[in-house]
Amino acid sequence: MVSGGLPIDIQIIGKEGEPEKWVKGRDMPSNKPCALCRCGQSKDKPFCDGTHAKVGFDGTETASGEPFDKQAQVMNGPTLRLKDAPALCSAARFCHRGGGTWELTHHSDDPKVRELAIEEACNCPSGRLVEYDKRTGKVIEKEFEQSISLIEDPQNKVSGPIWLKGGVTVESSDGSTYEVRNRVTLCRCGGSSKNKPFCDGTHIDVGFYDGDESLR
């Protein structure tokens, strides 16, 4: 369930080879409260049409509920400190260029390498990777308005997760809330994510397609 009049759009993983940028797709109608499909089988995707009840969708939450800092490993470079929580990975692959965000962080005394490390971490939709300025200790993040994006992945010919940006609150089925973060991704393929309600990249394995024209 989505409330609060949050804008909803499509965001497409851009470029052949290793992803380099996000490409904005169309805006979705979102001026009223709505329900987004998470079982992957609605005939009105991305919106829910009640199919989850017919197919017996199991949305049991399996995420740890621990805050990011407790899940994250810490890696120090010359000018950057990278925090990495692998369980949150949604397989968007922005972290692969130039040897990978981890290697780039190790060589962040080079200004160009540092810039690419920050760019890659900030493009990670799930918030698995977060860079911090080592001198000031401050987090380096893009400033997002509160919004929702539906990810499309033309390279893998699959539709990806629901991307929440700008500190959107995620309420559990038991009424508690998960840690509010600048970016997280929710599973919507109906597959067996091991980190529900969050995405773990299973949409690629199951070939999830929501019918968006960007994949045709």
Side-chain angles (χ1 to χ4, degrees):
M1 296 297 299
V2 180
S3 61
L6 296 176
I8 303 174
D9 68 6
I10 304 291
Q11 289 287 334
I12 303 164
I13 295 176
K15 194 182 185 302
E16 296 296 325
E18 304 300 355
E20 289 187 2
K21 62 182 179 179
W22 289 101
V23 178
K24 188 179 184 306
R26 60 195 172 96
D27 293 320
M28 307 293 293
S30 58
N31 59 341
K32 296 179 180 179
C34 65
L36 296 177
C37 174
R38 290 187 54 241
C39 75
Q41 299 187 49
S42 168
K43 293 180 175 59
D44 190 30
K45 290 189 281 289
F47 301 105
C48 172
D49 68 355
T51 297
H52 59 275
K54 299 176 184 176
V55 299
F57 170 60
D58 182 4
T60 302
E61 295 169 46
T62 55
S64 72
E66 288 190 329
F68 173 75
D69 277 351
K70 286 196 173 180
Q71 297 186 59
Q73 305 163 2
V74 179
M75 195 193 78
N76 285 296
T79 71
L80 294 174
R81 177 175 292 115
L82 177 66
K83 292 187 178 182
D84 174 12
L88 302 180
C89 183
S90 61
R93 309 178 307 286
F94 285 96
C95 56
H96 291 181
R97 290 160 55 212
T101 310
W102 305 267
E103 184 68 17
L104 295 169
T105 298
H106 274 307
H107 299 283
S108 57
D109 47 347
D110 181 321
K112 289 186 178 179
V113 172
R114 173 188 165 95
E115 182 180 358
L116 182 56
I118 292 170
E119 177 186 320
E120 289 187 359
C122 287
N123 275 333
C124 170
S126 70
R128 167 189 172 171
L129 301 175
V130 181
E131 292 279 17
Y132 293 75
D133 185 282
K134 197 171 179 182
R135 181 178 63 83
T136 65
K138 292 183 177 179
V139 66
I140 304 171
E141 287 269 25
K142 287 183 179 179
E143 290 188 12
F144 291 117
E145 68 168 318
Q146 286 196 327
S147 59
I148 297 174
S149 293
L150 306 167
I151 293 175
E152 301 294 342
D153 184 353
Q155 294 178 21
N156 284 313
K157 296 181 172 56
V158 295
S159 301
I162 300 168
W163 182 12
L164 307 182
K165 295 177 281 187
V168 175
T169 300
V170 179
E171 183 176 327
S172 172
S173 58
D174 65 10
S176 63
T177 58
Y178 289 94
E179 179 186 22
V180 177
R181 302 191 63 218
N182 187 44
R183 47 202 162 105
V184 299
T185 48
L186 302 179
C187 173
R188 67 173 177 127
C189 69
S192 53
S193 169
K194 294 179 176 61
N195 200 36
K196 284 188 180 122
F198 303 105
C199 171
D200 72 351
T202 296
H203 56 276
I204 296 175
D205 297 331
V206 301
F208 174 59
Y209 175 46
D210 67 1
D212 190 76
E213 59 187 16
S214 65
L215 299 186
R216 293 175 184 170

